[in-house]
């Protein structure tokens, strides 16, 4: 049996996992933030990997859904939306 400590609320919980059921323990990579968040976001929106940019997909009458991470993820969702929502408005989406 292996004891694994997991984040839980403001603290942690320890669980015990049978060896034959444990495939590995994976932790997130910690990367430095981007120096200019607005430029990084707009560049990503205008030059997506493996697909069309939103400007090519946008047309009158189209709708858009926005999915965001929950509070357990260390993503600056509020800061991202500060740049993303005005971008959608410039493309003609009604918010």
């Amino acid at each position: 049996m292996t004891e694994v400590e997991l984040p839980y609320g403001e603290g942690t919980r320890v669980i015990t996992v049978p060896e034959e059921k444990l495939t590995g323990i994976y932790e997130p990579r910690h990367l430095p933030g981007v120096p200019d968040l607005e430029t990084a976001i707009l560049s990503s929106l205008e030059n997506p990997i493996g697909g069309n940019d939103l400007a090519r997909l946008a047309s009158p009458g189209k709708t858009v859904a926005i999915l965001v991470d929950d509070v357990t993820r260390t993503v600056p969702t509020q800061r991202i939306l500060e740049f993303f929502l005005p971008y959608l408005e410039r493309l003609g989406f009604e918010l």
Side-chain angles (χ1 to χ4, degrees):
M1 299 290 260
T2 300
E3 287 189 345
V4 180
E5 186 175 7
L6 301 172
Y8 185 83
E10 297 294 321
T12 60
R13 290 272 173 106
V14 176
I15 62 170
T16 304
V17 181
E19 293 290 334
E20 66 274 7
K21 301 289 184 184
L22 185 65
T23 60
I25 298 175
Y26 305 94
E27 296 189 28
R29 292 182 301 152
H30 296 283
L31 302 173
V34 296
D36 182 353
L37 186 59
E38 181 177 15
T39 299
I41 291 168
L42 295 177
S43 176
S44 296
L45 291 169
E46 293 166 357
N47 305 291
I49 299 170
N52 291 325
D53 61 89
L54 288 177
R56 293 188 64 196
L57 299 174
S59 63
K62 290 243 178 161
T63 59
V64 63
I66 301 170
L67 304 176
V68 297
D69 289 315
D70 63 32
V71 297
T72 65
R73 309 290 182 220
T74 57
V75 176
T77 302
Q78 183 63 40
R79 298 236 18 246
I80 292 169
L81 291 175
E82 289 173 14
F83 306 114
F84 184 51
L85 296 178
Y87 177 80
L88 290 176
E89 289 180 315
R90 286 193 300 276
L91 293 181
F93 289 101
E94 291 183 35
L95 303 179

